[in-house]
Each structure stands twice: as C-alpha cells, then as structure tokens.
Amino acid sequence: GEFITSVRRFIDAQAVRGNADMERAFSLLDKKGNQVGSIVVVKAEIVYPESYNDHANDNVKVSQSESNNDDRMKPDILWQPISSQNDDQDNIKPSVIVHPKPELIDYLSGGCEISLALAIDFTTSNGDPSVPGTLHYRNPSSLSDLNYYEKAIQAVGTILSKYDSDQMFPIWGFGARFENVTRHCFQCGPQTEVHGVKGMLDAYRDVFSRPLTMSQPAIFTEVIRHAASYATKKQASAQSEHKQAYTILLILTAGNVEGIQNTKAELVRASEAPLSVVIVGIGTHDFSSMQFLDEHDPEKEGGRDITKFVEWNDFSSNDALTDEVLDEIPDQLVDYFYTRGILPLPPVHCDDEISESSLDTQQLLENDTED
C-alpha cells in the first residue's frame, strides 16, 4: 500500500514522548483506494546539511525577506532512500522538492490570522446626509433605523469580522473635506482601531459629529495604499512571532470612482502585500464603470487578482451575500503565501478551548471547496 503526505505533516504526526497515537496515523491504501493498514510515525526530523543553502537556491526561489532565516520557511527536504547495504551513505544528497499547493484549511489550521479593515465613502455621490432618503441620512427621531451604510457595515462587517482573530478593526474614510482640504484617507473616530461591529458603527457615526463637508471625487488609491502598508506590517509582526497574517480591506462606496488606470496600478502594487480587497457598491447608482475591478488579468497586467466587486442591492439574503463576498478570498490567500514559498505552519492544537473565530472558518472553507 501507499500514503501521500507532506514532510511537514509527516513531522507533525510523530509520536508524543514516544507514545504512538493512532489518531495521528496515516491510512495505508492499496491501488483501489482500500485501507490495508496504518502508518504510525514514531520519530521523524529534518536535518539541514551545511550545503543546504547552495543546493536549495538552484531549485527553489524563496526571497530572503520572506524566509527570514526561519527553518519553517525552508522548502521540505526529501532524502533518497538507502536501497541496500552497499550504498555509500556519504553520497546520499538531499533533493529539494516543490511542496504540493496547500489549501485554505492548511493555513487556517496553522493559525494564520485574518484581519479586517474598513473604508467608507463620504463623497457627494452619496447625497446630502441631512436629506431623507440619501445614503448617509440618519433619522434623528428614530436613530434605531439604520441608513444604507449602517446596514452594509452590520451585514458585510458581520460576515468578514467573524474571521478576524482579535476583533480589532481600523476604520478609514475618504472623500470628505476638513478645514478646506479634501481627505482621501482619514481615520474615523478617535481610536486607530475599534472593537467589533458595534465599534465600527460608532466610529462611522462619530464622523458626523465633526464639521464635515462631502466632497469629490471618489479616489480609492490612498485607501488601498494605506491598507497594503497595514497588511504588510501585520504580516511582518506575525512572522517575527513565527505566525502568519492576512488582511481583507472592505470598501463601501456609492461608486463614481475617478482615475481607473491609477486604481488598477495601485491594486497591482497592493497585490504584493498579504491583502484582498472587497468593494461593495451602496445604493441604486449605475455601477457599470466599476466592473473593471472584477476584470483584472494577472498575465497581461501583472500582480495578483485581489479584488472582488459586489453590488449591495443584487442580494436579497445575507446567505447569498456571504457566498459572493467570500467567493475569491480562499484562493487569493493561498496564492499570496504559496507563490512566495511560504507554506502553512504546523496545525495549532487547541485542546482546552476552541475560539469563536476558528469555528467561523467553516463558511470560508465551504467557499474554498466550491471553487
């Protein structure tokens, strides 16, 4: 029989303190796929020879900044087996193999932390916020009634925030004028990060407690650039602690984005960061000019495809909206890490407590399976 695994998982399956654990065993299958036995790993380790770096560089391209001299970032080593007693063991050399492409579950099981950042459109395309029926209008006599943006924050924010490990979110705005200067990226609320969806709503409402003038045009580039920097710093911080991190930027907008070519170029640059961008069109505007966000061709334009555009009014149920919002994120996350030679970390074992965020990964995994 035979079984297939990665070296990393083979190492992780070894017995604890010499005690074999059948739950860690690999199923041995015959050619018909029938289980004919089990393989228990008693002891396993990877030994890197002194000549490893010279040998690896000839076979696998891993950037120095990504590897960070961390053994777990090195490619897996497959040792050639000793076929007979006459083999010269001194001549046994390691061969670097390309690890099979992992899946989202591999990164999530290894503790990859997902962060959410929110950006909100305050341009004149939303209408006068003091006029009933406009997108930012809040009825002073019935503040419990949510406006369009509050509904979107609550619905889409709830969807994406489930996967955020610490439930702390930066909230940014764009397209508002303060002190006669139009700001294309500014902090919403007094705190750099807020807690939970309620914190998002409070930060959004706080913007209207200050002197604010809706302005134009709608420019995404500064928000995208800021999010890419944020995502890069989050990954660098996580990597210093032998962890991994990925960020999702959620942009809520009334549309009419200006500078399509500049936006495309900024998204290509941002694709070098561990970042996905979900843009939700709010209201009943014609969003046909926004379709370019879903038409990126990496082969012709470079970079990764990191953007998903969704029209809020196209979905009558939260389930359908959830599926659409999460549709491309699993592949985008895996592609970012794998193309940089960053493999999933060993599974995190949480025997005593299972966090809420780990339970909520099921929807992401279902989207990954459907793809």
Side-chain angles (χ1 to χ4, degrees):
E2 63 182 16
F3 72 100
I4 300 175
T5 185
S6 68
V7 173
R8 197 171 307 283
R9 292 192 178 279
F10 191 80
I11 295 292
D12 190 59
Q14 65 183 308
V16 178
R17 298 185 182 90
N19 297 320
D21 184 352
M22 290 304 296
E23 292 185 0
R24 295 170 176 258
F26 297 98
S27 297
L28 194 64
L29 307 178
D30 61 19
K31 293 183 178 180
K32 295 182 179 180
N34 300 316
Q35 183 170 349
V36 295
S38 299
I39 296 293
V40 175
V41 183
V42 177
K43 183 178 181 181
E45 63 179 336
I46 298 176
V47 178
Y48 294 100
E50 293 182 359
S51 60
Y52 166 77
N53 287 330
D54 293 337
H55 183 81
N57 289 338
D58 292 337
N59 294 272
V60 178
K61 183 179 180 181
V62 181
S63 69
Q64 187 65 29
S65 60
E66 295 291 351
S67 65
N68 199 29
N69 295 323
D70 187 343
D71 283 348
R72 290 176 301 171
M73 297 302 176
K74 293 179 179 177
D76 290 336
I77 296 285
L78 177 65
W79 290 90
Q80 300 172 353
I82 301 174
S83 58
S84 71
Q85 295 181 350
N86 294 327
D87 285 336
D88 183 356
Q89 296 189 23
D90 291 336
N91 291 327
I92 298 177
K93 297 180 180 179
S95 58
V96 178
I97 60 172
V98 177
H99 194 290
K101 189 172 185 178
E103 298 179 356
L104 177 68
I105 181 61
D106 298 314
Y107 287 101
L108 296 182
S109 297
C112 180
E113 299 173 350
I114 297 180
S115 299
L116 171 65
L118 173 63
I120 302 171
D121 182 348
F122 290 96
T123 64
T124 54
S125 297
N126 294 281
D128 186 338
S130 64
V131 176
T134 57
L135 300 182
H136 283 299
Y137 175 75
R138 297 190 71 214
N139 187 347
S141 62
S142 181
L143 294 179
S144 60
D145 294 338
L146 303 181
N147 66 24
Y148 289 90
Y149 276 87
E150 289 171 324
K151 290 177 182 178
I153 291 171
Q154 188 169 68
V156 187
T158 297
I159 292 169
L160 295 176
S161 66
K162 292 179 180 180
Y163 312 103
D164 192 291
S165 56
D166 62 5
Q167 292 293 293
M168 297 298 294
F169 314 108
I171 313 295
W172 307 312
F174 60 94
R177 180 182 290 271
F178 294 98
E179 299 177 352
N180 294 322
V181 178
T182 300
R183 313 287 182 177
H184 297 297
C185 185
F186 59 89
Q187 177 181 305
C188 295
Q191 299 173 313
T192 56
E193 293 189 350
V194 300
H195 184 267
V197 174
K198 182 181 183 302
M200 295 185 202
L201 290 169
D202 290 343
Y204 161 70
R205 293 163 182 162
D206 182 79
V207 173
F208 294 98
S209 68
R210 297 177 285 165
L212 169 144
T213 302
M214 298 284 185
S215 186
Q216 58 180 344
I219 294 177
F220 291 171
T221 51
E222 288 191 28
V223 165
I224 294 170
R225 189 181 309 125
H226 197 65
S229 175
Y230 174 85
T232 300
K233 290 177 182 177
K234 291 283 286 188
Q235 165 63 358
S237 176
Q239 198 169 31
S240 69
E241 299 176 0
H242 307 301
K243 298 178 180 179
Q244 295 167 345
Y246 194 84
T247 298
I248 301 170
L249 170 64
L250 170 62
I251 299 178
L252 304 180
T253 180
N256 295 328
V257 61
E258 184 171 293
I260 290 178
Q261 294 305 319
N262 288 339
T263 303
K264 284 184 175 182
E266 197 62 52
L267 286 169
V268 170
R269 285 190 287 269
S271 70
E272 293 297 317
L275 178 71
S276 287
V277 181
V278 177
I279 302 175
V280 178
I282 306 295
T284 58
H285 294 84
D286 180 6
F287 289 104
S288 58
S289 63
M290 306 282 285
Q291 295 306 315
F292 77 92
L293 295 165
D294 266 342
E295 297 172 352
H296 177 72
D297 185 346
E299 292 187 2
K300 294 181 179 179
E301 301 172 278
R304 295 185 297 127
D305 180 9
I306 65 171
T307 312
K308 178 71 177 181
F309 176 71
V310 178
E311 288 191 48
W312 169 263
N313 287 337
D314 282 351
F315 301 93
S316 58
S317 71
N318 277 354
D319 288 343
L321 179 64
T322 298
D323 289 341
E324 190 68 14
V325 167
L326 300 180
D327 181 41
E328 298 178 14
I329 292 176
D331 285 342
Q332 291 170 354
L333 184 152
V334 172
D335 286 346
Y336 171 79
F337 287 114
Y338 184 69
T339 55
R340 286 158 177 77
I342 304 176
L343 300 178
L345 299 175
V348 176
H349 299 291
C350 301
D351 298 330
D352 298 328
E353 178 180 357
I354 299 178
S355 67
E356 179 182 352
S357 61
S358 67
L359 293 175
D360 288 327
T361 59
Q362 185 60 38
Q363 184 67 47
L364 265 177
L365 297 177
E366 288 176 359
N367 281 76
D368 191 32
T369 303
E370 289 172 2
D371 291 341

